Every structure is written in C-alpha cells, then in structure tokens.
Amino acid sequence: MSKQHFQIAVVGSGFAGSVMAMMAHRLGLSTVLIERGRHPRFVIGESSTPLASLLLEEISEEYDLPFVRPLCKWGTWQKQLPQIACGLKRGFTFYRHEFGKPFITDAERQHQLLVGASANEEIADTHWYRADFDHYLVTQAQNLGVRYFDETLLVNAREETTGMRLTGTRRDEPVEITADFVIDATGPRGFMHQALGLPEKPFAAFPSTQGLFSHFQNVGSLPESFSTPGQTPPYPPEQAAVHHIFPGGWIWVLKFNNGITSAGVAATDAVANELEFNSGEPAWRRLLERLPSLAEIFGSAHSVMPCVHSPRLAFQSGVVAGLRWALLPSAAGFVDPLLSTGFPLTLLGVKRIAGALKSGLRGSGFRRRLGEYAKLTLMELETTSRFVGSLYATMDRFDLFKELSLLYFAAASYSETVRRLGKPELADGFLLCRHPVFARQVLQICELANQPLSAEVAGELRQTIRQAIKPFDVAGLTDESRHPWYPAMASDLLRNARKVNASENQIQMMLARCGCKPD
Ligand SMILES: Cc1cc2nc3c(=O)[nH]c(=O)nc-3n(C[C@H](O)[C@H](O)[C@H](O)COP(=O)(O)OP(=O)(O)OC[C@H]3O[C@@H](n4cnc5c(N)ncnc54)[C@H](O)[C@@H]3O)c2cc1C
C-alpha cells in the first residue's frame, strides 16, 4: 500500500481545489491534490461574475500566481490564453416566457431585464469552459510543486489526534494519505460529507428544485422578436448569461467561443416531475415544445453529451469544518445556478481558509478563524437561498422578479466596488449579509415576496426594494428612466463616490487601474 504524509490534502481538483492547493503551497505547506477522475473532464458551473473575477485577481496577486491573472478578464484571456475556451459575458440577460407563446418584445420591454456588468469587452467577465479551464489550473498546480494524484478514489476519512487519515484506491491499488489538515473541494454531498456522515441542513426558504443540463452544438441566435426596433441594448444580449424565465423554473444559455453552448434548466419539483426530468433529453425536448422561441433557438442544435439530471439541486451541510478539516463553500452547499453565485461564494471561502492557514495549523488563532469561516459560510449560503428563493416565488410575477434581481445586483456591484477600492470591510460578507440594515431589509423583503400579494402591496414592495437599494446603488439601478436596461457606466460610480466613502479622484484612479474608460 502507498502511504504518504502532507501538511495539507485538498480533495477534488475542480478550479477551486487547484487554486486552494496552489495557495497552500505558496504558504510553504506541503500540499497534495487528490482527484477521483482525470482531466480534461466535463463539470457544470461555468458563468463567472465581476466579483468572482475580482477575487481571482486578488488571489493571483496575493499568492503570486501570475498565470491565473489573464483568466480574470475576457481581453487578457483572449490575448494570452486563447487556447482555453471560454465565453464572453458582458452582463445578465433575462427574458420572461409564457408556455405556448413565442417571446415578443413589447414597446415597454416589460418581459425583459438586462443588467450590464462591464463597460466593454476588454474588461468583461467570462463563462469558463471548465474542461479546459480546470485542466489548465491543475497543470499549473503541478508545475508549481503541488503533488497531484488523479484517478484516486477516497472512501474513508478518520480524524486522529495528529491529523486526518484518508484511505481509498488509486488505479485499484490501496492508498493511504495522512495530512495535518484536509480541505474538501469535491462539491455538494461530496467526499467528507459522506465519509464523516455529516448532517444535511435544509434551507429555511427555498423550494425543492431539480436540474437538467448538457452541452450543445449549433444553438441558434435569439430570434428577431427579442429585439426592440430603434433601441440599442446596453450590450449584445447574448454576450451574457442568458436566463429564460417561465413559471416554476428557468433555462440558462451560455455560449462559448468553441462552438459549444451550455444550456440547462432548473425548476421546481412540480415542473420537473411533470416533464419527467429523470428521462433526460426527452424531458428537455418536451420543455422546448412549450417554449416556442426556445424551440426555434434549439431547432438545429444537438447535444454533445447525454443530458445530466440532478434530482436535487439545493444542498447545505449542517457542519462545515472540524478541528482538522474544512469543506469549501462549494462542498458545504449549493443553492441554484440563478445569478451565478457559486464561484464568488467559493472563492471568498478559499481566501478565508488560506487566511486561516497563515496563522499556523495548530494555534488558537487558526481554530478561531476556522470557526468564523464555518459560521460565515452557512450565513452566506442561507442569504443566497433567500435571494434566489424569492426569485423562484416571483417567476410568475415578473415585475417583482425584476426588482428583486436589482436588489441582488446592487449588493453585488457595491461589494465589488468597495473591494476594488481596498475597503472590503464595507461589504463584509457575500451580498452584504452582515450589514445591520441591508441584511434585515432583505430578510423582510424576501419573506413578503414569497407570499401572494395584492397589486397594491406588490407596488409598495417594489418601492421598499428601491429604498433598500438606494444607499448601496453605485450602478444606476434606481434610475427608473433606464428600466429595464441597465448599462455598466463609469459615470455612475463617479456620481456615487460618497456611498463607498471615496472621493471622485479615488474612483478615477480605481477605474484607471481596472482599465475602465470614461463613458
Ligand atoms: C447545474 C449547475 C449550474 C451551475 N452554474 C453555475 C454558474 O453558472 N456560475 C457559478 O458561479 N456557479 C455555478 N454552479 C456552481 C458551481 O458548479 C460550483 O460553484 C463550482 O463548480 C465549484 O467548483 P469546485 O472546484 O469547488 O467543485 P467541482 O467543480 O464540483 O469539482 C469537484 C471535483 O472533485 C472531484 N471529486 C468528487 N468526489 C471526489 C472524491 N471522493 N475523491 C476525489 N475527487 C473527487 C470531481 O471529480 C471534481 O473534479 C452551478 C452548479 C450546478 C449544479
């Protein structure tokens, strides 16, 4: 039997596992990265956000990982790493569909919402084609000196006085790895959750949902009926994470620059069971038959791999860390692909765990920071589930859905801005979940939105949402004249400098640093 000891064992070599392992290595800790499969491989979860890109940028600087830096913006990615496929993401596009009817834009654009995330292509976000992206990162980890064992299936984890003992098989041979500390990056319901028999903790306010997804070729463009004659949208609507909303669920369409499109559906049990998601591709076809505009877009498309059915999307582990182990946020829980919250949540956690590792593996400082990490991770997952849960509750009340989405975008853009200004303490926690006023307002708003409301109360709620957004709105989201198209504009940041405790000059310098030109 092969037996080896490391200070840190990271289990799971998705992007998060590889990044975490490289950071631990940079901290001078002997690190092993263990993967049950082999790269390149398919994995879902592709659409990035400004906050995720920024966190990756921070990590590349702080931990001296310069080869990660080009992946933080579309422009640098295309110039320096064009061999790694990705998609251009200028924003978040939403269209509201009704079953049995084609999507047709009306003059007021009532059934759409476009929120720009970047002012131009150069600095835009991306969809990560994970087969290439993860393969690149795991290769870089090995180049750096991280030990890597692939095709290693771990089945047992035992906590001992000196560390953790992990056992399993590598290419059918028994393997045993001991480590002072284990970081689980194997995704929801992953290795440690199973091996330690951790409890599951259901979200307080989130419906049971299922997923069905695949990669496709020959996906068509949005038909003419999606455009608004005489008006130019803030960015090309398909250069985005495109969300097609229908009662009880939504479809994502993410286009990569290699001819592949990632598409799938997340829906409540009622919709998923009726369409029999467990039948795979036939269910996808049945759904498209109900959505004529999407049937047109996917008319000539074919899947390049079998459709994957996920019978339960949302998950939260009741315990996130022990004395000698921790689950990354992506292993501790998952809410829904809606709003692409997975990457930023994960990268925030990766940074926090690395921060804890800096205080040494044995001291009380490490234990304290790990405890804080665990608490905050659960709080952030719960907050995300409230936001996204309220969106599920309003998929058939699109006016309210749009306002609630703006609440999310306000918190996200505020958080990104204060981080870029070097003041992360102003947005402590994902989506301002520890802000004494905003967090309370979000809770109240989401609880109300989950209920059936009269037109009058719904109107009042929309006003309440706008009031809650205002103090944090650095992106023109409360400018009603823009509704429902919100471009990403440097002038909004300048105008709202005081909301982030900054001078106009500081904002100008920040914009120059991140390559954002005046509007
Ligand atoms: C349907 C769906 C859509 C999503 N879309 C988005 C999105 O658009 N944007 C976003 O931000 N997030 C999205 N997410 C969330 C996103 O997938 C995760 O946040 C992200 O993949 C986490 O990356 P990771 O590296 O932690 O784990 P993963 O990407 O899940 O990688 C885990 C790795 O661990 C390995 N592994 C598993 N078990 C073992 C074991 N026992 N031993 C060794 N290795 C093991 C696996 O083979 C895999 O390589 C989505 C999730 C789902 C389910």
Side-chain angles (χ1 to χ4, degrees):
M1 171 180 327
S2 147
K3 289 187 183 186
Q4 298 198 54
H5 179 80
F6 298 86
Q7 285 170 296
I8 302 291
V10 179
V11 189
S13 69
F15 82 93
S18 291
V19 168
M20 184 76 245
M22 288 191 275
M23 292 161 84
H25 177 84
R26 279 292 196 226
L27 291 173
L29 300 161
S30 65
T31 304
V32 64
L33 179 59
I34 305 159
E35 166 61 47
R36 73 173 169 199
R38 269 185 82 163
H39 288 277
R41 52 88 177 97
F42 168 83
V43 70
I44 196 66
E46 295 145 335
S47 190
S48 184
T49 63
L51 185 56
S53 300
L54 174 59
L55 289 164
L56 211 52
E57 200 176 304
E58 288 176 8
I59 288 168
S60 101
E61 290 296 309
E62 203 178 329
Y63 292 85
D64 189 21
L65 306 171
F67 43 82
V68 170
R69 187 67 193 252
L71 301 167
C72 304
K73 289 187 178 111
W74 165 265
T76 46
W77 187 322
Q78 294 314 298
K79 276 192 203 93
Q80 295 174 47
L81 296 168
Q83 73 280 12
I84 301 176
C86 70
L88 172 57
K89 181 173 180 183
R90 294 279 313 276
F92 292 77
T93 299
F94 300 82
Y95 297 110
R96 161 79 163 93
H97 296 252
E98 273 181 68
F99 284 138
K101 293 188 183 165
F103 182 91
I104 297 173
T105 296
D106 60 304
E108 280 84 42
R109 295 163 287 159
Q110 282 181 63
H111 305 299
Q112 54 183 286
L113 172 67
L114 268 66
V115 182
S118 46
N120 59 58
E121 277 190 14
E122 192 60 26
I123 58 168
D125 298 310
T126 46
H127 310 307
W128 303 345
Y129 185 67
R130 295 284 302 276
D132 287 0
F133 187 84
D134 290 10
H135 193 193
Y136 172 76
L137 289 174
V138 81
T139 307
Q140 296 301 326
Q142 289 169 84
N143 293 344
L144 211 62
V146 170
R147 289 292 302 280
Y148 177 55
F149 299 151
D150 62 357
E151 297 181 83
T152 303
L153 183 63
L154 296 175
V155 283
N156 286 311
R158 205 168 68 221
E159 201 162 350
E160 300 179 342
T161 44
T162 52
M164 297 291 297
R165 186 173 302 274
L166 310 176
T167 49
T169 52
R170 179 161 204 236
R171 298 175 190 146
D172 296 331
E173 293 292 323
V175 63
E176 182 179 286
I177 292 163
T178 50
D180 295 343
F181 195 76
V182 173
I183 300 168
D184 184 351
T186 59
R189 306 175 185 87
F191 167 60
M192 294 289 272
H193 187 80
Q194 306 285 346
L196 298 180
L198 302 178
E200 191 167 337
K201 180 175 182 251
F203 290 116
F206 197 77
S208 290
T209 54
Q210 301 182 32
L212 186 65
F213 48 87
S214 190
H215 276 179
F216 297 84
Q217 248 164 354
N218 283 340
V219 174
S221 299
L222 291 171
E224 200 48 42
S225 63
F226 283 72
S227 36
T228 316
Q231 298 193 52
T232 311
Y235 55 86
E238 289 188 89
Q239 291 178 357
V242 184
H243 303 65
H244 296 280
I245 313 292
F246 57 84
W250 68 286
I251 285 174
W252 68 88
V253 180
L254 312 174
K255 293 198 164 180
F256 298 110
N257 60 357
N258 60 356
I260 303 275
T261 297
S262 173
V265 52
T268 58
D269 276 355
V271 175
N273 292 339
E274 200 219 324
L275 288 165
E276 297 176 31
F277 274 17
N278 59 1
S279 66
E281 187 141 350
W284 174 251
R285 296 277 151 213
R286 277 193 286 277
L287 177 60
L288 294 185
E289 276 167 23
R290 295 189 182 182
L291 299 164
S293 297
L294 283 161
E296 192 179 336
I297 295 168
F298 283 87
S300 309
H302 60 271
S303 53
V304 296
M305 50 170 271
C307 273
V308 179
H309 173 222
S310 174
R312 186 60 65 236
L313 278 176
F315 162 80
Q316 184 175 223
S317 177
V319 187
V320 171
L323 212 53
R324 309 199 187 288
W325 58 271
L327 310 182
L328 284 191
S330 47
F334 175 66
V335 179
D336 196 87
L338 196 61
L339 302 176
S340 313
T341 55
F343 295 171
L345 277 170
T346 302
L347 289 167
L348 281 167
V350 162
K351 285 197 75 170
R352 289 178 193 135
I353 292 179
L357 292 178
K358 282 181 190 168
S359 39
L361 284 168
R362 290 278 177 256
S364 59
F366 179 63
R367 281 200 299 279
R368 182 180 48 76
R369 293 185 76 163
L370 206 58
E372 281 167 11
Y373 160 77
K375 211 168 131 197
L376 192 49
T377 297
L378 289 177
M379 186 190 266
E380 291 181 336
L381 282 166
E382 199 63 55
T383 301
T384 305
S385 75
R386 283 187 197 280
F387 263 103
V388 182
S390 72
L391 294 178
Y392 267 91
T394 53
M395 280 171 175
D396 55 357
R397 295 175 283 164
F398 197 59
D399 277 351
L400 207 45
F401 179 100
K402 285 188 284 191
E403 299 295 331
L404 289 160
S405 302
L406 294 181
L407 194 62
Y408 162 83
F409 289 115
S413 49
Y414 182 88
S415 304
E416 184 207 350
T417 307
V418 296
R419 283 196 92 91
R420 283 201 185 279
L421 286 165
K423 305 174 183 188
E425 67 285 354
L426 290 182
D428 185 17
F430 188 54
L431 300 176
L432 300 166
C433 68
R434 291 212 277 201
H435 192 283
V437 180
F438 188 78
R440 187 173 34 82
Q441 286 173 320
V442 165
L443 190 67
Q444 287 164 355
I445 287 167
C446 292
E447 271 175 9
L448 202 53
N450 286 344
Q451 299 163 23
L453 302 174
S454 66
E456 193 188 342
V457 177
E460 282 167 18
L461 182 55
R462 280 200 290 279
Q463 289 313 314
T464 308
I465 294 172
R466 296 220 158 219
Q467 289 308 320
I469 291 175
K470 253 201 170 102
F472 304 94
D473 179 18
V474 292
L477 300 170
T478 42
D479 178 350
E480 303 232 8
S481 69
R482 296 186 191 177
H483 197 67
W485 284 356
Y486 297 91
M489 289 163 68
S491 53
D492 287 322
L493 288 167
L494 286 165
R495 212 179 11 261
N496 290 296
R498 66 179 168 75
K499 293 184 186 170
V500 286
N501 293 352
S503 65
E504 276 201 18
N505 193 35
Q506 285 171 314
I507 299 282
Q508 296 276 21
M509 277 163 28
M510 178 197 83
L511 291 168
R513 269 198 309 277
C514 54
C516 191
K517 299 179 189 81
D519 307 326

